Structures are given as structure tokens and as C-alpha cells.
Amino acid sequence: MSAFSMSTPTKDRMTPFGAEVSASAPEREIARDLALRTLLIAPVMLVIGATFWGWAGLWSSGYGLAIVAVNFLVGAAIITWSAKISPAVMFGAVMLGFIARLGIITAAVLPIRNSEWFEVAPFAISLLVAHIGLLAWETRHVAASLAFPGLKPGAAVLSSRDRSIDSTAERSA
């Protein structure tokens, strides 16, 4: 038999974006971690909203935080789905998904913008601070290597690294 005929069957070959990406889905793991971190910052954001804007600020901050968590999860779902198809589809899906998610945020605000319980300022602050702050926080926990795609090993929410950073901050204060 020739070397060509002894090659492994096509079904056993690893595809560039197929089985490996869908099996591990590091983007889903990161999005779940971001959603859990949203729950960790929620009490602070809700107290700030309630302190300065009353009940309307509390509800508006909560609404903004819910949108942030859903936004991260939907973004990860788009990547997971499109990565199974091809890099070109993933590129298009991520770009169009970003625009669509901005439209969904707008559509979520327009019908309630004049409601009694809605305040724009705490909503916008929660939305912006949570998006940017959570992404910055998450960068410490994402592995930038192919050996561990997604979160670093042991970098779950409130990992030992977070606790050690928190304890050193308390000691220095």
C-alpha cells in the first residue's frame, strides 16, 4: 500500500475550527465568568443607583447590569455557533452580532425611556462601567496561550489569586 492510502480517514482529521472549538468553547467559559462577576458587582452598583436616584436608580442600574450579562452571553453564543462553520463566517457573525447587540440595547431602552421607574444616568453608568470594568477585570483571568484557551487554570470567580489580591489590599489600607 502506498503512503497516501494509509493516511488517516477524513473523519479522524482535526478540522481548523470544527470539533476542537465546539468541544471546549473557551468563549462560553469566559462569558459565564463575566456574568458571575456581574453578580459580584451588582450590589455596589445597585446601592450607588439607589443612593443618588432612589428606587428609579436602583431599578435602572439593575436593568443595565442585566443587559450587560446577557450581552456577554449572547456574544459568546455567536462566537461558539459561528466558529463551527468557518473563520470567515465567524468574522461576519461577530461584526454583525456586535451591531445587532447594540441595536438590541437601544431597543431595550427606547420603550421604557419615559417610564417613571427609569433614570438614564444610573442606567448608562451601570452599562458603561460594568462593560469596561468587567472586561478589564477579566483580562487578569484569561490565559493568553493555546495550552489553556479561555480562563487560566484555577481562575474561577473569586479564585485564590483574587483572595490574595484582596487580602494584600486590606493589609496595605
Side-chain angles (χ1 to χ4, degrees):
M1 292 182 98
S2 70
F4 182 74
S5 64
M6 292 177 56
S7 66
T8 57
T10 306
K11 66 179 182 176
D12 291 341
R13 289 188 187 158
M14 295 172 55
T15 59
F17 269 75
E20 309 87 69
V21 173
S22 62
S24 64
E27 64 279 355
R28 239 185 298 156
E29 182 184 4
I30 292 169
R32 274 193 218 115
D33 196 54
L34 283 164
L36 288 173
R37 291 180 194 281
T38 304
L39 292 174
L40 291 175
I41 67 163
V44 174
M45 299 299 285
L46 294 174
V47 166
I48 291 171
T51 302
F52 293 105
W53 293 277
W55 286 108
L58 177 97
W59 289 110
S60 299
S61 293
Y63 192 60
L65 291 171
I67 287 175
V68 169
V70 170
N71 191 26
F72 285 136
L73 294 171
V74 169
I78 290 170
I79 295 170
T80 301
W81 168 79
S82 62
K84 295 175 188 174
I85 300 169
S86 75
V89 170
M90 185 171 70
F91 173 75
V94 168
M95 292 301 292
L96 292 174
F98 176 72
I99 293 168
R101 288 182 290 133
L102 288 176
I104 291 168
I105 291 171
T106 303
V109 173
L110 288 178
I112 62 164
R113 71 182 185 277
N114 295 324
S115 296
E116 209 173 280
W117 63 270
F118 184 75
E119 286 286 335
V120 174
F123 171 79
I125 291 168
S126 294
L127 197 71
L128 294 172
V129 168
H131 267 109
I132 295 169
L134 287 169
L135 288 172
W137 187 8
E138 191 69 14
T139 58
R140 295 185 350 205
H141 302 283
V142 175
S145 75
L146 294 176
F148 299 107
L151 295 176
K152 291 178 185 173
V157 173
L158 288 182
S159 64
S160 58
R161 182 176 178 190
D162 283 333
R163 284 187 226 115
S164 67
I165 291 170
D166 291 342
S167 64
T168 55
E170 289 172 4
R171 278 187 244 140
S172 64

